[in-house]
Amino acid sequence: MLSDDHVNEIIIQKLIASLIPMTSRDRIKAIRNQPRTMEEKRNLSRGGLTITTEDEGRAKAHLTWWKIVDKEKSKQTHHILQLNCCIQCLNSISRAYRRSKNSLSEILNSISLWQKTLKIIGGKFGTSVLSYFNFLRWLLKFNIFSFILNFSFIIIPQFTVAEKNTLQFTGLEFFTGVGYFRDTVMYYGFYTNSTIQHGNSGASYNMQLAYIFTIGACLTTCFFSLLFSMATYFRNNFINPHIYSGGITKLIFCWDFTVTQEKAVKLKQKNLSTEIRENLSELRQENSKLTFNQLLTRFSAYMVAWVVSTGVAIACCAAVYYLAEYNLEFLKTHSNPGAVLLLPFVVSCINLAVPCIYSTFRLVERYEMPRHEVYVLLIRNIFLKISIIGILCYYWLNTVALSGEECWETLIGQDIYRLLLMDFVFSLVNSFLGEFLRRIIGMQLITSLGLQEFDIARNVLELIYAQTLVWIGIFFCPLLPFIQMIMLFIMFYSKNISLMMNFQPPSKAWRASQMMTFFIFLLFFPSFTGVLCTLAITIWRLKPSADCGPFRGLPLFIHSIYSWIDTLSTRPGYLWVVWIYRNLIGSVHFFFILTLIVLIITYLYWQIAEGRKIMIRLLHEQIINEGKDKMFLIEKLIKLQDMEKKANPSSLVLERREVEVSLEAALGTPGTRDLRFRRSVQEGNPRA
């Protein structure tokens, strides 16, 4: 028989042997999980635990376990030591990455634009209106990145070889985009097609490759940023389980105690009250049910509204198509500089008037969920605006590009600039004049109208429409991202001022946490995908102008890439670039597989979201059933207590104990029950 000391020594030796290959972090965690006293754990972690061993002379040697660890480590192979070193290095790199990521996130949050203004908007108007301003700020970041990229790799090199502009500046160029601006870095036709080189020994800079690669890098970055943003917002707003619980726990029990200033505290309280009101409104609207006649009436109203809206959109697209077909002939017969503004003026009038007509359909449709109303308006408006942009792209690529003009790329860039500028002017006029007049009418003339509510769908589609024009025009007008930056800055402040002066909070509070996902999806499809198709047709199918631009003299724009690849194929050190282009970038199969992978991942995310919805619903039902069971047991216990008062208490002791035990199991309480609860039951208190 082994003594207790021997058994203890064997256990400790096995413990030491298991701790040897571990890292210091895992070793501390393993010691913490040991079923020992705190004193033994401290001694073991510090190396102060002594092990007593008996030899033939019954002598006692006190050896710390650190010595045993060192002795055993000397027996380990060199491979294991290297592996532990690599693991520690990876852990250190991981910690450093997390710390740098957190530090960078804190810095970005501290310099984030309009943080205080957005909090005020969210506290007063709710998350639905706030989603529009968040989307505007998100687009601003896109354009800042695009401008930095274009300015660094296209505009600055062109400045070094640019000739002096001899045209006279009149000021009308700000509205028409022609004249003086034609011979500046603003348009495609001004850029050189030669290789820039300063001095005989200086490095060369191929302007053709720089132009097409910079535009391609900008669009590729936007593509992956859109995918990443959609995945992030989808995970946060559709997959995380906390969104299905309404967020009540976070709203009620989580207060930021770092908020100490009086204004900040009041703003935080206002935000919390608005969010609670939105959650309760959502729950109330989800539980409302309609009769069959009401459903039939609303379905008929929906069908009529959709037929009318589709007919209006088709009529507007037909008008734009015929106007665009005769636009070139109209410009040839009219020498007035303002004649070029006819097409942008008509298109902007349609984009301003028709969405307002769509907004009046809410009086007939009367959606119970405000979110559904916004979704429907977004779909109708995106159908109208993308159809108009599609007709304009057809006009540019099939009429302007084949018209034989001297520099058709610059003409397209000027058209896009005028469309963007006219849309911005109409938006400002509507914000400062139209919405102001609507407030005067609602407050003084027709008081029954009252203040209007912020139209989220119409304003968001204005941003998507403008950004689509910027992406199309970035190839023909590289400075468009900079122009869009200025417009978005002005738009934010103008919309904020108009919102505070002319609008009231939504009459039906609703959560808009999932709106950003839908906005970015509409920006990606059909907006960004349509831009990629348009630019792909331009680069792969159309012939560049012979006398202007960096691609002059080439049969197609893409031939600049073909020539570069042929040059690299003769250099052994760059054959890997040729392989990547021919097998990945230039392969249709690669993009097909990539698209298939994206679709599969999207489908899996959607299934995860649906599964978690079902899980949350089942758990909610289970909680309700458990509550009913507890109430039943409490009522039964009260009845038994009443019977004890009327009859002999000793005859019902056993049954009473059984009920109390079952009640404890249902309530999840320990064996020692709350004395106040028992006293209230014994006194026959029905509120117990």
mmCIF file of all heavy atoms in Angstrom, residues 621-654:
data_model
loop_
_atom_site.group_PDB
_atom_site.id
_atom_site.type_symbol
_atom_site.label_atom_id
_atom_site.label_comp_id
_atom_site.label_asym_id
_atom_site.label_seq_id
_atom_site.Cartn_x
_atom_site.Cartn_y
_atom_site.Cartn_z
ATOM 1 N N GLU A 621 -41.213 31.228 -26.630
ATOM 2 C CA GLU A 621 -42.383 30.426 -26.267
ATOM 3 C C GLU A 621 -42.112 29.569 -25.032
ATOM 4 O O GLU A 621 -42.996 29.387 -24.187
ATOM 5 C CB GLU A 621 -42.790 29.551 -27.447
ATOM 6 C CG GLU A 621 -43.311 30.344 -28.646
ATOM 7 C CD GLU A 621 -43.609 29.442 -29.825
ATOM 8 O OE1 GLU A 621 -43.329 28.218 -29.709
ATOM 9 O OE2 GLU A 621 -44.115 29.941 -30.848
ATOM 10 N N GLN A 622 -40.900 29.045 -24.924
ATOM 11 C CA GLN A 622 -40.552 28.230 -23.759
ATOM 12 C C GLN A 622 -40.570 29.058 -22.476
ATOM 13 O O GLN A 622 -41.047 28.594 -21.430
ATOM 14 C CB GLN A 622 -39.170 27.608 -23.965
ATOM 15 C CG GLN A 622 -38.739 26.681 -22.836
ATOM 16 C CD GLN A 622 -37.383 26.067 -23.105
ATOM 17 O OE1 GLN A 622 -36.829 26.221 -24.179
ATOM 18 N NE2 GLN A 622 -36.852 25.380 -22.112
ATOM 19 N N ILE A 623 -40.075 30.283 -22.553
ATOM 20 C CA ILE A 623 -40.105 31.157 -21.374
ATOM 21 C C ILE A 623 -41.540 31.443 -20.957
ATOM 22 O O ILE A 623 -41.885 31.443 -19.761
ATOM 23 C CB ILE A 623 -39.340 32.456 -21.672
ATOM 24 C CG1 ILE A 623 -37.839 32.160 -21.809
ATOM 25 C CG2 ILE A 623 -39.566 33.490 -20.573
ATOM 26 C CD1 ILE A 623 -37.032 33.351 -22.275
ATOM 27 N N ILE A 624 -42.411 31.674 -21.930
ATOM 28 C CA ILE A 624 -43.819 31.934 -21.608
ATOM 29 C C ILE A 624 -44.460 30.719 -20.947
ATOM 30 O O ILE A 624 -45.184 30.835 -19.937
ATOM 31 C CB ILE A 624 -44.579 32.338 -22.884
ATOM 32 C CG1 ILE A 624 -44.057 33.682 -23.404
ATOM 33 C CG2 ILE A 624 -46.082 32.413 -22.623
ATOM 34 C CD1 ILE A 624 -44.658 34.094 -24.726
ATOM 35 N N ASN A 625 -44.177 29.528 -21.475
ATOM 36 C CA ASN A 625 -44.752 28.309 -20.890
ATOM 37 C C ASN A 625 -44.227 28.062 -19.479
ATOM 38 O O ASN A 625 -44.985 27.626 -18.591
ATOM 39 C CB ASN A 625 -44.440 27.108 -21.785
ATOM 40 C CG ASN A 625 -45.159 27.190 -23.122
ATOM 41 O OD1 ASN A 625 -46.252 27.774 -23.211
ATOM 42 N ND2 ASN A 625 -44.571 26.620 -24.151
ATOM 43 N N GLU A 626 -42.956 28.330 -19.247
ATOM 44 C CA GLU A 626 -42.417 28.150 -17.900
ATOM 45 C C GLU A 626 -43.055 29.128 -16.923
ATOM 46 O O GLU A 626 -43.322 28.792 -15.762
ATOM 47 C CB GLU A 626 -40.900 28.336 -17.919
ATOM 48 C CG GLU A 626 -40.162 27.195 -18.602
ATOM 49 C CD GLU A 626 -38.666 27.386 -18.553
ATOM 50 O OE1 GLU A 626 -38.228 28.447 -18.056
ATOM 51 O OE2 GLU A 626 -37.939 26.480 -19.009
ATOM 52 N N GLY A 627 -43.301 30.333 -17.364
ATOM 53 C CA GLY A 627 -43.994 31.291 -16.505
ATOM 54 C C GLY A 627 -45.394 30.827 -16.149
ATOM 55 O O GLY A 627 -45.840 30.984 -15.003
ATOM 56 N N LYS A 628 -46.093 30.241 -17.117
ATOM 57 C CA LYS A 628 -47.435 29.722 -16.839
ATOM 58 C C LYS A 628 -47.378 28.563 -15.842
ATOM 59 O O LYS A 628 -48.245 28.437 -14.962
ATOM 60 C CB LYS A 628 -48.099 29.279 -18.138
ATOM 61 C CG LYS A 628 -48.431 30.435 -19.077
ATOM 62 C CD LYS A 628 -49.074 29.917 -20.359
ATOM 63 C CE LYS A 628 -49.427 31.074 -21.288
ATOM 64 N NZ LYS A 628 -50.021 30.609 -22.557
ATOM 65 N N ASP A 629 -46.357 27.690 -15.998
ATOM 66 C CA ASP A 629 -46.209 26.578 -15.053
ATOM 67 C C ASP A 629 -45.970 27.086 -13.636
ATOM 68 O O ASP A 629 -46.535 26.549 -12.659
ATOM 69 C CB ASP A 629 -45.056 25.670 -15.481
ATOM 70 C CG ASP A 629 -45.360 24.951 -16.796
ATOM 71 O OD1 ASP A 629 -46.564 24.855 -17.142
ATOM 72 O OD2 ASP A 629 -44.414 24.517 -17.466
ATOM 73 N N LYS A 630 -45.154 28.092 -13.494
ATOM 74 C CA LYS A 630 -44.886 28.647 -12.168
ATOM 75 C C LYS A 630 -46.138 29.247 -11.550
ATOM 76 O O LYS A 630 -46.415 29.058 -10.352
ATOM 77 C CB LYS A 630 -43.789 29.704 -12.267
ATOM 78 C CG LYS A 630 -42.427 29.139 -12.661
ATOM 79 C CD LYS A 630 -41.405 30.249 -12.869
ATOM 80 C CE LYS A 630 -40.067 29.675 -13.334
ATOM 81 N NZ LYS A 630 -39.066 30.721 -13.579
ATOM 82 N N MET A 631 -46.917 29.951 -12.337
ATOM 83 C CA MET A 631 -48.157 30.528 -11.830
ATOM 84 C C MET A 631 -49.138 29.435 -11.412
ATOM 85 O O MET A 631 -49.841 29.552 -10.393
ATOM 86 C CB MET A 631 -48.785 31.428 -12.895
ATOM 87 C CG MET A 631 -47.988 32.691 -13.200
ATOM 88 S SD MET A 631 -47.734 33.731 -11.745
ATOM 89 C CE MET A 631 -49.433 34.096 -11.316
ATOM 90 N N PHE A 632 -49.177 28.334 -12.167
ATOM 91 C CA PHE A 632 -50.068 27.227 -11.803
ATOM 92 C C PHE A 632 -49.664 26.612 -10.468
ATOM 93 O O PHE A 632 -50.519 26.325 -9.610
ATOM 94 C CB PHE A 632 -50.039 26.173 -12.910
ATOM 95 C CG PHE A 632 -50.749 24.902 -12.561
ATOM 96 C CD1 PHE A 632 -52.142 24.840 -12.556
ATOM 97 C CD2 PHE A 632 -50.029 23.766 -12.213
ATOM 98 C CE1 PHE A 632 -52.792 23.664 -12.224
ATOM 99 C CE2 PHE A 632 -50.675 22.596 -11.882
ATOM 100 C CZ PHE A 632 -52.065 22.546 -11.884
ATOM 101 N N LEU A 633 -48.356 26.398 -10.271
ATOM 102 C CA LEU A 633 -47.892 25.807 -9.019
ATOM 103 C C LEU A 633 -48.139 26.747 -7.836
ATOM 104 O O LEU A 633 -48.485 26.302 -6.736
ATOM 105 C CB LEU A 633 -46.414 25.474 -9.128
ATOM 106 C CG LEU A 633 -46.052 24.343 -10.112
ATOM 107 C CD1 LEU A 633 -44.552 24.219 -10.253
ATOM 108 C CD2 LEU A 633 -46.655 23.026 -9.644
ATOM 109 N N ILE A 634 -47.957 28.037 -8.054
ATOM 110 C CA ILE A 634 -48.211 28.990 -6.972
ATOM 111 C C ILE A 634 -49.684 28.987 -6.588
ATOM 112 O O ILE A 634 -50.051 29.007 -5.391
ATOM 113 C CB ILE A 634 -47.746 30.395 -7.394
ATOM 114 C CG1 ILE A 634 -46.210 30.430 -7.474
ATOM 115 C CG2 ILE A 634 -48.234 31.454 -6.416
ATOM 116 C CD1 ILE A 634 -45.663 31.725 -8.027
ATOM 117 N N GLU A 635 -50.572 28.955 -7.573
ATOM 118 C CA GLU A 635 -52.010 28.918 -7.281
ATOM 119 C C GLU A 635 -52.394 27.641 -6.547
ATOM 120 O O GLU A 635 -53.221 27.661 -5.619
ATOM 121 C CB GLU A 635 -52.794 29.040 -8.582
ATOM 122 C CG GLU A 635 -52.690 30.422 -9.232
ATOM 123 C CD GLU A 635 -53.401 30.464 -10.570
ATOM 124 O OE1 GLU A 635 -53.929 29.399 -10.991
ATOM 125 O OE2 GLU A 635 -53.424 31.544 -11.199
ATOM 126 N N LYS A 636 -51.798 26.531 -6.944
ATOM 127 C CA LYS A 636 -52.101 25.270 -6.268
ATOM 128 C C LYS A 636 -51.612 25.300 -4.818
ATOM 129 O O LYS A 636 -52.286 24.799 -3.902
ATOM 130 C CB LYS A 636 -51.450 24.111 -7.018
ATOM 131 C CG LYS A 636 -51.884 22.752 -6.512
ATOM 132 C CD LYS A 636 -51.355 21.639 -7.392
ATOM 133 C CE LYS A 636 -51.840 20.287 -6.876
ATOM 134 N NZ LYS A 636 -51.319 19.173 -7.716
ATOM 135 N N LEU A 637 -50.437 25.891 -4.583
ATOM 136 C CA LEU A 637 -49.916 25.994 -3.232
ATOM 137 C C LEU A 637 -50.812 26.874 -2.357
ATOM 138 O O LEU A 637 -51.060 26.566 -1.181
ATOM 139 C CB LEU A 637 -48.491 26.567 -3.280
ATOM 140 C CG LEU A 637 -47.759 26.685 -1.943
ATOM 141 C CD1 LEU A 637 -47.584 25.323 -1.303
ATOM 142 C CD2 LEU A 637 -46.407 27.359 -2.149
ATOM 143 N N ILE A 638 -51.329 27.938 -2.927
ATOM 144 C CA ILE A 638 -52.227 28.820 -2.171
ATOM 145 C C ILE A 638 -53.518 28.089 -1.814
ATOM 146 O O ILE A 638 -54.042 28.212 -0.698
ATOM 147 C CB ILE A 638 -52.508 30.098 -2.979
ATOM 148 C CG1 ILE A 638 -51.216 30.926 -3.107
ATOM 149 C CG2 ILE A 638 -53.588 30.939 -2.320
ATOM 150 C CD1 ILE A 638 -51.352 32.127 -4.018
ATOM 151 N N LYS A 639 -54.055 27.298 -2.736
ATOM 152 C CA LYS A 639 -55.267 26.535 -2.453
ATOM 153 C C LYS A 639 -55.036 25.525 -1.339
ATOM 154 O O LYS A 639 -55.880 25.330 -0.459
ATOM 155 C CB LYS A 639 -55.744 25.837 -3.719
ATOM 156 C CG LYS A 639 -56.310 26.784 -4.764
ATOM 157 C CD LYS A 639 -56.765 26.017 -5.988
ATOM 158 C CE LYS A 639 -57.328 26.973 -7.055
ATOM 159 N NZ LYS A 639 -57.759 26.255 -8.264
ATOM 160 N N LEU A 640 -53.866 24.860 -1.396
ATOM 161 C CA LEU A 640 -53.558 23.907 -0.332
ATOM 162 C C LEU A 640 -53.429 24.605 1.013
ATOM 163 O O LEU A 640 -53.840 24.075 2.049
ATOM 164 C CB LEU A 640 -52.268 23.164 -0.662
ATOM 165 C CG LEU A 640 -52.341 22.143 -1.798
ATOM 166 C CD1 LEU A 640 -50.966 21.582 -2.086
ATOM 167 C CD2 LEU A 640 -53.307 21.017 -1.431
ATOM 168 N N GLN A 641 -52.881 25.786 1.012
ATOM 169 C CA GLN A 641 -52.749 26.533 2.256
ATOM 170 C C GLN A 641 -54.123 26.910 2.817
ATOM 171 O O GLN A 641 -54.347 26.867 4.030
ATOM 172 C CB GLN A 641 -51.913 27.796 2.016
ATOM 173 C CG GLN A 641 -51.477 28.501 3.282
ATOM 174 C CD GLN A 641 -50.472 27.677 4.059
ATOM 175 O OE1 GLN A 641 -49.708 26.932 3.469
ATOM 176 N NE2 GLN A 641 -50.481 27.775 5.371
ATOM 177 N N ASP A 642 -55.045 27.260 1.931
ATOM 178 C CA ASP A 642 -56.405 27.574 2.379
ATOM 179 C C ASP A 642 -57.101 26.334 2.943
ATOM 180 O O ASP A 642 -57.843 26.414 3.932
ATOM 181 C CB ASP A 642 -57.217 28.141 1.220
ATOM 182 C CG ASP A 642 -56.683 29.498 0.778
ATOM 183 O OD1 ASP A 642 -56.015 30.158 1.603
ATOM 184 O OD2 ASP A 642 -56.921 29.884 -0.392
ATOM 185 N N MET A 643 -56.839 25.200 2.320
ATOM 186 C CA MET A 643 -57.437 23.965 2.819
ATOM 187 C C MET A 643 -56.872 23.582 4.175
ATOM 188 O O MET A 643 -57.574 23.011 5.015
ATOM 189 C CB MET A 643 -57.207 22.834 1.813
ATOM 190 C CG MET A 643 -57.968 23.019 0.484
ATOM 191 S SD MET A 643 -57.522 21.792 -0.750
ATOM 192 C CE MET A 643 -58.080 20.320 0.110
ATOM 193 N N GLU A 644 -55.585 23.908 4.426
ATOM 194 C CA GLU A 644 -54.981 23.600 5.717
ATOM 195 C C GLU A 644 -55.631 24.388 6.846
ATOM 196 O O GLU A 644 -55.721 23.918 7.980
ATOM 197 C CB GLU A 644 -53.479 23.899 5.679
ATOM 198 C CG GLU A 644 -52.677 22.880 4.888
ATOM 199 C CD GLU A 644 -51.196 23.188 4.909
ATOM 200 O OE1 GLU A 644 -50.841 24.262 5.435
ATOM 201 O OE2 GLU A 644 -50.410 22.376 4.410
ATOM 202 N N LYS A 645 -56.050 25.607 6.545
ATOM 203 C CA LYS A 645 -56.691 26.407 7.578
ATOM 204 C C LYS A 645 -58.055 25.845 7.963
ATOM 205 O O LYS A 645 -58.492 25.995 9.106
ATOM 206 C CB LYS A 645 -56.851 27.851 7.094
ATOM 207 C CG LYS A 645 -55.527 28.596 6.979
ATOM 208 C CD LYS A 645 -55.758 30.029 6.548
ATOM 209 C CE LYS A 645 -54.447 30.788 6.461
ATOM 210 N NZ LYS A 645 -54.660 32.194 6.052
ATOM 211 N N LYS A 646 -58.730 25.240 7.000
ATOM 212 C CA LYS A 646 -60.063 24.720 7.260
ATOM 213 C C LYS A 646 -60.024 23.305 7.831
ATOM 214 O O LYS A 646 -60.900 22.920 8.585
ATOM 215 C CB LYS A 646 -60.892 24.728 5.981
ATOM 216 C CG LYS A 646 -61.096 26.139 5.414
ATOM 217 C CD LYS A 646 -61.879 26.090 4.122
ATOM 218 C CE LYS A 646 -62.061 27.499 3.540
ATOM 219 N NZ LYS A 646 -62.797 27.470 2.256
ATOM 220 N N ALA A 647 -59.071 22.526 7.449
ATOM 221 C CA ALA A 647 -58.989 21.126 7.890
ATOM 222 C C ALA A 647 -57.820 20.961 8.855
ATOM 223 O O ALA A 647 -57.191 21.922 9.300
ATOM 224 C CB ALA A 647 -58.835 20.207 6.689
ATOM 225 N N ASN A 648 -57.546 19.684 9.158
ATOM 226 C CA ASN A 648 -56.436 19.360 10.054
ATOM 227 C C ASN A 648 -55.115 19.568 9.318
ATOM 228 O O ASN A 648 -54.888 18.955 8.287
ATOM 229 C CB ASN A 648 -56.562 17.906 10.515
ATOM 230 C CG ASN A 648 -55.523 17.588 11.591
ATOM 231 O OD1 ASN A 648 -54.847 18.486 12.103
ATOM 232 N ND2 ASN A 648 -55.426 16.323 11.933
ATOM 233 N N PRO A 649 -54.231 20.403 9.829
ATOM 234 C CA PRO A 649 -52.983 20.666 9.111
ATOM 235 C C PRO A 649 -52.106 19.435 8.960
ATOM 236 O O PRO A 649 -51.402 19.303 7.969
ATOM 237 C CB PRO A 649 -52.292 21.724 9.967
ATOM 238 C CG PRO A 649 -53.394 22.358 10.761
ATOM 239 C CD PRO A 649 -54.375 21.252 11.028
ATOM 240 N N SER A 650 -52.155 18.495 9.925
ATOM 241 C CA SER A 650 -51.259 17.334 9.877
ATOM 242 C C SER A 650 -51.583 16.387 8.738
ATOM 243 O O SER A 650 -50.728 15.635 8.284
ATOM 244 C CB SER A 650 -51.322 16.573 11.200
ATOM 245 O OG SER A 650 -52.659 16.133 11.436
ATOM 246 N N SER A 651 -52.808 16.380 8.257
ATOM 247 C CA SER A 651 -53.195 15.448 7.198
ATOM 248 C C SER A 651 -52.700 15.878 5.825
ATOM 249 O O SER A 651 -52.731 15.089 4.886
ATOM 250 C CB SER A 651 -54.723 15.314 7.150
ATOM 251 O OG SER A 651 -55.305 16.578 6.856
ATOM 252 N N LEU A 652 -52.253 17.147 5.709
ATOM 253 C CA LEU A 652 -51.850 17.637 4.394
ATOM 254 C C LEU A 652 -50.380 18.040 4.348
ATOM 255 O O LEU A 652 -49.948 18.737 3.440
ATOM 256 C CB LEU A 652 -52.707 18.852 4.002
ATOM 257 C CG LEU A 652 -54.204 18.584 3.839
ATOM 258 C CD1 LEU A 652 -54.940 19.882 3.598
ATOM 259 C CD2 LEU A 652 -54.469 17.608 2.707
ATOM 260 N N VAL A 653 -49.620 17.646 5.332
ATOM 261 C CA VAL A 653 -48.217 18.058 5.381
ATOM 262 C C VAL A 653 -47.433 17.447 4.222
ATOM 263 O O VAL A 653 -46.637 18.121 3.540
ATOM 264 C CB VAL A 653 -47.595 17.654 6.729
ATOM 265 C CG1 VAL A 653 -46.085 17.858 6.692
ATOM 266 C CG2 VAL A 653 -48.223 18.471 7.846
ATOM 267 N N LEU A 654 -47.650 16.157 3.964
ATOM 268 C CA LEU A 654 -46.892 15.477 2.918
ATOM 269 C C LEU A 654 -47.173 16.065 1.542
ATOM 270 O O LEU A 654 -46.255 16.342 0.761
ATOM 271 C CB LEU A 654 -47.227 13.978 2.942
ATOM 272 C CG LEU A 654 -46.456 13.102 1.922
ATOM 273 C CD1 LEU A 654 -44.951 13.203 2.172
ATOM 274 C CD2 LEU A 654 -46.937 11.656 2.007
#
